[in-house]
Amino acid sequence: ARMMLAEEGYENIAVEINSFGDKDSIARFTRDLGNYYRKHINDMSPESRQLFKQDPIDLLACRDESVRELNQKAPKSLDFLSETSRRHLEEVLEYLEALAIPYSLNNSLIGNKKYCTETIFSILDMDHDKKDKSSKVLAIGVRYDGLYKKIGLKKEIQGIGMSILVKNNKPELRKELKKVK
C-alpha cells in the first residue's frame, strides 16, 4: 500500500494501528466498554445513546461532542489482549520498526467486530491540510481470522483486507473502458 501511495505522489505518510485481539479479547473489551458507557449514559446525547444500544464499540469513533471526552477515559482495547494477541501485535510493530515505517497507536481506530480480529490500521497523509494539522486517511485495513468458518470452509485461513481511498486526479492515467460483447 505504501508503494502504491508513493507512486501516486504521497511521500509523508504514517500508519495508525490498533488491535482488538482474538474473539475472547473482543468479548472482554466489549463488556467492559459497555459497562463504562452505561455509567455515563446520562452525559450522552440522544443520538449517542442510540449508537450505544446498537454497539458500544461504535462510540469510540463517534464525533459527537458529548462522547469525545468520555472516549478519552474509555477502556482501551489493547488492555484486554490475550497473550497470543499481544505477541501478534508486538510482531507487527517490530516489522513496522524494521521497515522504518512511522506508526502510532490509535484506540479510536475500530473495525467491525463480526469479522475483524487482531490488527486494524489506517495510512494517513501527513501533508494534508497543514493549517488544521489534521491528516487525511488514504487507506484502511483489517485482519480477519475466523472468517473461514462463516463462509463454510473447514481449513483455518487468516487474511487481511484493505481499501485504498485515493482519488486519482491525473487524467493521463485514466483509461477509457471499451465495451465487451
Side-chain angles (χ1 to χ4, degrees), residues 10-136:
Y10 295 97
E11 296 175 2
N12 189 13
I13 58 178
V15 174
E16 286 188 339
I17 193 165
N18 193 17
S19 179
F20 271 169
D22 54 18
K23 189 176 178 181
D24 294 333
S25 301
I26 294 169
R28 285 193 317 271
F29 172 61
T30 304
R31 184 183 61 243
D32 278 19
L33 188 65
N35 290 338
Y36 169 78
Y37 284 129
R38 209 170 276 109
K39 291 177 187 174
H40 301 283
I41 195 90
N42 293 330
D43 300 333
M44 294 183 202
S45 69
E47 295 82 17
S48 297
R49 289 179 191 166
Q50 287 299 321
L51 196 58
F52 169 73
K53 288 179 184 178
Q54 293 170 7
D55 189 357
I57 291 177
D58 291 341
L59 284 173
L60 289 173
C62 183
R63 300 279 187 233
D64 188 350
E65 196 62 40
S66 67
V67 179
R68 278 190 192 180
E69 195 172 308
L70 289 175
N71 286 347
Q72 296 297 322
K73 298 175 184 174
K76 311 279 189 247
S77 61
L78 297 175
D79 296 336
F80 295 88
L81 296 180
S82 65
E83 189 58 38
T84 306
S85 296
R86 190 172 306 283
R87 273 195 314 268
H88 176 266
L89 179 62
E90 287 172 359
E91 288 177 8
V92 170
L93 297 179
E94 286 173 6
Y95 281 121
L96 289 172
E97 289 172 3
L99 295 170
I101 298 172
Y103 70 89
S104 62
L105 296 174
N106 180 353
N107 188 55
S108 64
L109 194 58
I110 61 167
N112 187 329
K113 70 178 183 179
K114 292 178 182 170
Y115 63 87
C116 178
T117 57
E118 301 297 344
T119 51
I120 304 128
F121 67 91
S122 65
I123 299 176
L124 308 172
D125 177 12
M126 302 311 288
D127 289 333
H128 176 71
D129 205 8
K130 287 184 178 180
K131 294 175 187 171
D132 296 332
K133 295 186 179 180
S134 64
S135 51
K136 178 182 176 188

Side-chain angles (χ1 to χ4, degrees), residues 3-10 166-177:
M3 290 174 35
M4 293 166 66
L5 292 169
E7 287 177 9
E8 288 295 316
Y10 295 97
V166 176
K167 290 185 180 178
N168 187 348
N169 293 325
K170 299 176 184 174
E172 66 273 7
L173 294 178
R174 293 185 183 163
K175 297 178 183 175
E176 185 177 325
L177 297 175

